[in-house]
Amino acid sequence: MASNFAARANQALMQSSPKWRLAIWLLLMLSASLWTLQLWQNGAQVQSDILAMLPHLQQDKLTERALNQVEATLADQVYIALVAKDETTAISAAKLLMQKLEADLVARGKQGALTDIRSADIQLGEALGQFYFPHRFKLLTAPQAEALASQNIESLIEAATAQLYNAFSYANSNLLAQDPLLLFPANLLTLAPSSKVRASQGILLANQGDNVAAVVMAKGRESAFNPNAQLAQMTALTQGLDAVKQSYPDITVLKAGALFHALAATQTAKSEISILGLASLLGVIALVWLAFRSVMPLLLAIVTISSGLLLAVTFTLSVFGELHLLTLVFGTSLIGIAIDYSFHFYCERLSDTERSAKATVAYIFPTVTLAFITSALAYVGIGLAPFPGMQQVAIFCAAGLLGAYLTLILAYPLLAGSRLPAGSRPLALAGTYLSSLTQLSKRFTTPLGMGMFALVILVWCLVGVTKLTVDDDIRHLQQSPASVTEPENQLRQLLSGGTDNQFLLVRAPSEEALLQQLERVSPMLNAAIANQELGNYVSLSRYLPSHRKQDTAYHLQGEIYQTQIDTVLTSLGLDENLKPELQAAYLAAKTEYITPAAFFTLGAGKQLAPLWLAPNEANSPVSNGALNDGGVSAEHGADHGAVQGADYGADYGAIILLGGIQQIDTLKARFAHDESVQLIDKVADISAVMGHYRLLTLKLLALALGIALLLFSLNFGFKKAAVVVAVPALAALLTLATLGLTGSPLSLFHALALILVFGIGIDYSLFFASAQNHGKAVMMAVFMSACSTLLAFGLLAFSQTQAIHYFGLTLSLGIGFTFLLSPLILTTTLALTTNQLLTTKKS
C-alpha cells in the first residue's frame, strides 16, 4: 500500500510543471518569512536558561505553587560583596555602589535594569517593635515561659533590676510603665536570625578573615535568562563597580546570583552557535565543492540549508513562542542532515548525466520520502520526552528536514537543471571502496570468518556494556566556569551558607494548625543545625506564633499582672498607681492576636510573604527582597511565573528555606514519616525523572526497531528487512559499548541521541537496500552524508555544555558505526539474491 501511494505521488510529480513547483516553493518560503517576522514583533524571544529544557515535575498544586514561589523570589536576585581591609572603606564603597545603582534606576525609570537596591534595613527593628509591642502580653521567650510556669517570678524581677542599673540598658520610664519586667526587648531580640552578618550605618557586613565585606543586594526587573535583560543588568552593575574601583582601587568584588550563571551560559551558547555552525557550514561547502566542482550545487546546498533553518525557526516560534539558544546549538546538526537530500540528488545525476533534474527527483523520490518520514519520526520520538527544550529540538529539526525535503521536491527540478562537470573520479572512488568492502565481506562469509567477526563484536559489546555506568544528575549538565562559581561560594560562606534550592513545605488544613506545625518543626531543624546537617533556615514560626502559643504566653503572664503585680511594682520601686493601667491593658489584649494578614503588611512581612501559601490565592505576594541575610540561590533558573488558575486545594502551606545543607539524606530521614512535612528537592526529583525517561527512551528505541522490521518486511521481505534494521541496531549497541569502554556515563541525552542514530541509520540502510547499478552513487551520497553529519555532531561533542557534549559524542559514534556497517547491506542483498537464483535453478 505504501509503495502504491509513493508511485501515485511520484506520477503526479512527473506530470506537474517545474515552474509551478518553484512558484509554490517560493510562496511557502515567503509566507514563512513574513510569519516569522510577525512572531518576533509580537514578543517571541530567545531563551538561554538550560533548566528551561528540563522536564516538568508532576506535583500537586500546593507543591507546584511552592516551587514557583521560591523560584520567582530567589531567581533574579543579585548579590555583590565589596571586600576591604577595614570596615570604614567597605561601608563607603557599598554606599557608593548603591548610590550609582539608584541613580541609574532614577535615570531610566521603568527601564531601570535593577530594582530594590538595598543592604541592611536600619528601620527594620523599629518597625518590628511597633508591630509587636501591642501584643507583648502574648509573647514570651523560652526562659521567660519556664520561669513563669514554675512560678519563679523572682528570677524575672532580678533580671529586670539588673537592666535598670545597666549603663547600656534599653530600659526607660515609658517602657517600664507598660512592661515593668522588661520582657518585650528579649522577645524582640529573638526575631533576629542567628547569622555571621551584622549591620552598621545601614550596610550589611560580614568578616572574611582579617578583611570586612559589605554586601549589596538588588533584584533584576526582568528575568536573568532574558539576553536583553542580562545586558542591561550587567551594564548597570559594571558602571557602578567601575565607579567603586576608581575611588577604592584595593576593593575586591565578589558576585553571586543567577544573572552571572545565565550570562556565562548565554556567552557559551552564542560562541558555540557561531563556531560550530560556521565550521559545519564551511565543512559542508568544502565537501560539495570537492565532490561536484560546480557553483550550482554549492548555491543549492546553501538554499536547502537556509530553507530548512527558516521553517525550523518558524515552526518552533509558532509552537513555543520562544527559541532556546541550546535548540540553536543542537540545530546546527540540522545542517549535516538537511544537506543529505542534495547529496543524493547530485550523486544520482553524476551516475546518469543524461537524466534531467526533474527525472532525477522523480527517481529518488520514493527512497527520499521514506527516509524523510523515518528521520522525522525519530525526531518525534525525541519530542515525546517531557522536556520543553528537547521538544523544541524535535520540532526544530523535524521542521528543518521538512524544509529541505520540500526544497528538493519543489525547487530542484527547475533550479538544478544545469549540467554538472564530469564527476567520474568521486564515483570511481566510491566504487573502489565498495569493491574493497565486497572483497572483505567475502572473507566473513566463511564459517571461520563469520565466527571470528561475531566473536570480536560479542566481546566488544559485552565488555563495554558491563562497564557502562549511568548519571542522571542534572547538575552535571551545565557547569558554570570557575570565575562564576568560586566568588559565589565565597559569598555564600560569608552569608551563613545562603539559601539552597531545597526547602521544606509544611501543610495543614487550617491557618492555626499550620502555625502549630511550624512550631513543631523548628526544634527538629535546630537539632539538625547542632548535628551539622544544616547551616541555617528561615521559618515563619520565628515571626508568627500560633494562637495556642500566644494564649499560653498570655495565661502565664497572668501570674504577673493578676497575682504578683504588687510584688513586681514594689520590688522594682515603681509607682503603685501603674497597677490599674497595666491590668486593664492586660485584660484588653486577651482577644488580640498576631496574625499573618497583619504581619505581611509590614516591610519585613512583605519580604517573607512568599513563604505563606494560603488556599485559593491565585496570585499571592511575591517578594522583591531577600528572604534571609543575603540568601544565594543554588538553582540558576526557573519558570518565573505564578501558577495559573485559582484552585490550589484546601490546604494551607508554608515554606521553610534551608541553607548550608551538609547532609541532605539525613535531613530527609528526619521528616520521612511525617506526611505534613515534605522536603522539596527539585534537583533530585528532576534527576529521578531523567533516569525514568532514559530507560523509557531505550525501550522506545527497541520498539521502534521492531516496528521498522515489520514495515520493511512488507516491501523487502523479512530477510532483507532484518539486514536493513540490523545495521542501526548493531550501531547503537556498539555505541553503548564504546561509551562504556571510554568511561562516559549513560544519560538521557545519550539515549535521545540513539533515537537519531536509528533515524539516520535507517536512511543509509534504505538507500543501500534500494540501490541499483552496484550502488556507486548511493555509496558516494552516503559517504558525503556521513561526513557532513559527523562534521555537525562531531563538533557538538566538543561543546562545553555536558548535555550537548553527550548528544554529539553519541551521535558521532553511532553515525560512524552506521557508515561502516551500512554498505554491507548491498553485499548481503547481492548474496541473498544469488542464493534465491540458485535455489530457483535447482528447483
Side-chain angles (χ1 to χ4, degrees):
M1 184 177 293
S3 58
N4 290 336
F5 174 78
R8 288 195 297 269
N10 199 4
Q11 185 178 3
L13 282 173
M14 286 296 293
Q15 293 175 353
S16 61
S17 167
K19 292 183 179 180
W20 275 107
R21 289 199 217 178
L22 182 62
I24 294 172
W25 178 80
L26 289 172
L27 182 62
L28 284 174
M29 294 301 113
L30 179 61
S31 300
S33 300
L34 294 175
W35 178 245
T36 303
L37 181 62
Q38 184 179 359
L39 289 173
W40 283 118
Q41 292 176 342
N42 290 341
Q45 60 180 0
V46 175
Q47 169 67 268
S48 64
D49 178 16
I50 190 173
L51 296 184
M53 298 183 73
L54 299 177
H56 295 304
L57 297 175
Q58 297 299 318
Q59 305 280 12
D60 62 85
K61 293 293 185 180
L62 190 64
T63 303
E64 187 178 2
R65 184 179 167 202
L67 282 166
N68 284 336
Q69 291 282 72
V70 172
E71 292 168 352
T73 304
L74 297 178
D76 297 328
Q77 297 290 334
V78 175
Y79 306 87
I80 305 294
L82 303 173
V83 184
K85 294 182 179 179
D86 59 87
E87 183 173 308
T88 302
T89 304
I91 291 174
S92 300
K95 288 183 175 179
L96 177 59
L97 177 60
M98 294 174 67
Q99 178 185 347
K100 294 296 182 181
L101 294 179
E102 288 168 353
D104 178 79
L105 180 61
V106 171
R108 296 178 181 271
K110 292 183 179 180
Q111 302 301 319
L114 295 170
T115 64
D116 194 26
I117 300 152
R118 66 200 184 282
S119 188
D121 188 352
I122 57 177
Q123 299 178 338
L124 178 62
E126 182 180 349
L128 290 175
Q130 291 176 353
F131 174 76
Y132 284 106
F133 189 73
H135 303 286
R136 61 192 178 279
F137 300 108
K138 299 288 183 71
L139 297 172
L140 285 175
T141 65
Q144 291 170 352
E146 184 179 351
L148 289 174
S150 61
Q151 297 184 344
N152 185 17
I153 199 169
E154 290 78 11
S155 63
L156 298 179
I157 293 174
E158 290 175 3
T161 302
Q163 285 295 322
L164 287 174
Y165 294 100
N166 189 333
F168 301 99
S169 172
Y170 39 70
N172 56 56
S173 58
N174 186 44
L175 179 60
L176 282 168
Q178 301 178 77
D179 182 21
L181 286 178
L182 301 175
L183 301 180
F184 178 71
N187 281 277
L188 193 60
L189 289 175
T190 62
L191 298 177
S194 57
S195 176
K196 299 177 184 178
V197 298
R198 63 186 187 280
S200 178
Q201 302 181 41
I203 301 298
L204 202 63
L205 300 173
N207 292 329
Q208 188 188 49
D210 296 331
N211 298 324
V212 178
V215 181
V216 175
M217 295 165 280
K219 185 175 179 67
R221 189 185 294 276
E222 297 182 64
S223 168
F225 297 96
N226 180 325
N228 293 329
Q230 288 175 16
L231 178 62
Q233 292 174 26
M234 281 305 301
T235 300
L237 280 174
T238 302
Q239 291 175 350
L241 291 173
D242 286 346
V244 170
K245 279 290 188 180
Q246 289 177 2
S247 301
Y248 307 97
D250 295 332
I251 285 285
T252 300
V253 179
L254 302 177
K255 296 180 286 188
L259 170 64
F260 309 106
H261 294 271
L263 188 65
T266 300
Q267 291 172 344
T268 299
K270 286 182 176 179
S271 173
E272 290 181 355
I273 289 170
S274 303
I275 296 173
L276 301 183
L278 181 61
S280 180
L281 185 60
L282 291 177
V284 168
I285 289 173
L287 198 61
V288 173
W289 176 257
L290 290 174
F292 304 118
R293 304 293 177 138
S294 173
V295 175
M296 184 53 68
L298 271 178
L299 294 177
L300 279 182
I302 294 173
V303 168
T304 303
I305 293 170
S306 300
S307 60
L309 291 175
L310 174 61
L311 283 193
V313 172
T314 302
F315 274 73
T316 305
L317 291 180
S318 299
V319 175
F320 298 99
E322 65 179 13
L323 186 62
H324 202 288
L325 277 174
L326 293 185
T327 300
L328 290 175
V329 176
F330 278 111
T332 60
S333 62
L334 180 64
I335 296 173
I337 302 174
I339 200 65
D340 289 358
Y341 303 138
S342 182
F343 290 158
H344 283 289
F345 172 85
Y346 276 109
C347 287
E348 288 297 338
R349 288 213 70 189
L350 277 179
S351 68
D352 187 352
T353 56
E354 298 301 320
R355 186 188 291 151
S356 68
K358 181 179 177 181
T360 304
V361 170
Y363 176 74
I364 66 173
F365 174 77
T367 307
V368 168
T369 301
L370 191 56
F372 163 69
I373 292 172
T374 53
S375 296
L377 287 176
Y379 281 117
V380 170
I382 288 180
L384 295 177
F387 285 60
M390 295 314 296
Q391 289 166 358
Q392 273 201 27
V393 170
I395 294 292
F396 186 92
C397 292
L401 284 181
L402 176 63
Y405 173 77
L406 291 176
T407 302
L408 172 69
I409 303 302
L410 299 177
Y412 273 51
L414 187 62
L415 296 182
S418 59
R419 290 183 177 273
L420 289 174
S424 57
R425 180 169 175 77
L427 285 174
L429 290 174
T432 303
Y433 178 73
L434 266 179
S435 298
S436 301
L437 279 181
T438 303
Q439 294 299 321
L440 182 63
S441 64
K442 287 180 180 179
R443 297 181 182 180
F444 293 133
T445 57
T446 64
L448 179 62
M450 291 181 65
M452 291 296 295
F453 180 74
L455 181 62
V456 170
I457 296 296
L458 181 63
V459 171
W460 187 349
C461 292
L462 283 177
V463 175
V465 171
T466 53
K467 288 188 175 182
L468 196 61
T469 59
V470 297
D471 183 7
D472 299 308
D473 194 334
I474 64 168
R475 286 168 291 198
H476 298 161
L477 297 183
Q478 180 181 6
Q479 297 174 346
S480 295
S483 58
V484 174
T485 57
E486 289 179 2
E488 175 168 289
N489 290 334
Q490 294 181 45
L491 186 48
R492 287 174 65 84
Q493 292 302 316
L494 288 176
L495 301 174
S496 304
T499 301
D500 292 328
N501 54 36
Q502 297 92 349
F503 61 90
L504 290 179
L505 175 60
V506 183
R507 63 181 73 211
S510 67
E511 182 175 286
E512 172 63 13
L514 180 59
L515 293 174
Q516 292 181 24
Q517 289 278 40
L518 290 174
E519 291 167 354
R520 181 179 60 82
V521 169
S522 290
M524 300 171 69
L525 292 175
N526 291 333
I529 292 175
N531 291 339
Q532 297 184 340
E533 301 165 18
L534 184 66
N536 60 80
Y537 69 93
V538 179
S539 174
L540 288 170
S541 64
R542 187 188 300 274
Y543 305 94
L544 294 172
S546 65
H547 283 198
R548 182 178 67 180
K549 186 175 182 179
Q550 293 182 61
D551 286 338
T552 300
Y554 182 81
H555 291 305
L556 287 174
Q557 290 198 50
E559 179 71 14
I560 301 172
Y561 296 105
Q562 292 184 321
T563 306
Q564 300 287 345
I565 186 63
D566 293 324
T567 303
V568 170
L569 294 176
T570 301
S571 300
L572 296 175
L574 299 177
D575 190 346
E576 293 183 359
N577 292 329
L578 294 174
K579 177 180 176 180
E581 186 175 342
L582 285 170
Q583 288 182 327
Y586 173 78
L587 293 173
K590 183 176 182 178
T591 57
E592 298 297 323
Y593 290 94
I594 300 167
T595 63
F599 175 72
F600 292 141
T601 61
L602 294 177
K606 289 178 181 177
Q607 292 186 19
L608 294 167
L611 302 185
W612 184 260
L613 305 170
N616 300 322
E617 290 183 4
N619 293 297
S620 64
V622 176
S623 167
N624 288 327
L627 294 179
N628 62 353
D629 292 328
V632 182
S633 174
E635 185 169 337
H636 312 301
D639 295 325
H640 299 158
V643 179
Q644 297 300 313
D647 183 14
Y648 293 103
D651 278 355
Y652 282 78
I655 296 166
I656 300 178
L657 297 179
L658 307 175
I661 297 174
Q662 301 297 325
Q663 302 176 40
I664 185 68
D665 293 333
T666 307
L667 196 61
K668 284 182 178 179
R670 288 184 177 272
F671 305 101
H673 304 293
D674 192 339
E675 294 182 357
S676 63
V677 183
Q678 180 183 2
L679 197 151
I680 307 296
D681 186 354
K682 187 176 182 180
V683 171
D685 292 343
I686 293 177
S687 298
V689 170
M690 288 183 67
H692 169 74
Y693 280 99
R694 170 178 48 79
L695 291 173
L696 181 61
T697 301
L698 292 175
K699 292 178 182 177
L700 285 174
L701 177 59
L703 179 62
L705 289 169
I707 294 174
L709 178 61
L710 180 63
L711 291 177
F712 296 157
S713 296
L714 300 177
N715 284 338
F716 302 120
F718 180 78
K719 289 184 178 180
K720 191 173 182 179
V723 174
V724 170
V725 173
V727 167
L730 186 56
L733 191 59
L734 288 171
T735 299
L736 289 174
T738 306
L739 291 173
L741 291 171
T742 56
S744 179
L746 183 64
S747 72
L748 175 61
F749 290 93
H750 293 92
L752 293 173
L754 287 176
I755 293 284
L756 279 190
V757 170
F758 162 73
I760 298 171
I762 284 291
D763 286 1
Y764 296 171
S765 299
L766 284 173
F767 278 109
F768 275 111
S770 305
Q772 299 178 14
N773 301 324
H774 304 289
K776 289 190 292 184
V778 173
M779 185 67 251
M780 180 180 171
V782 168
F783 172 76
M784 295 183 67
S785 173
C787 287
S788 63
T789 304
L790 286 172
L791 267 175
F793 291 121
L795 291 172
L796 288 184
F798 293 99
S799 172
Q800 297 179 35
T801 303
Q802 287 285 59
I804 300 175
H805 166 74
Y806 289 156
F807 198 84
L809 176 63
T810 307
L811 269 164
S812 297
L813 291 171
I815 296 304
F817 286 126
T818 304
F819 170 74
L820 293 174
L821 294 171
S822 57
L824 298 178
I825 292 176
L826 192 59
T827 57
T828 306
T829 301
L830 291 174
L832 290 173
T833 304
T834 302
N835 289 334
Q836 288 176 356
L837 290 174
L838 291 174
T839 304
T840 303
K841 286 181 179 180
K842 288 180 180 180
S843 59

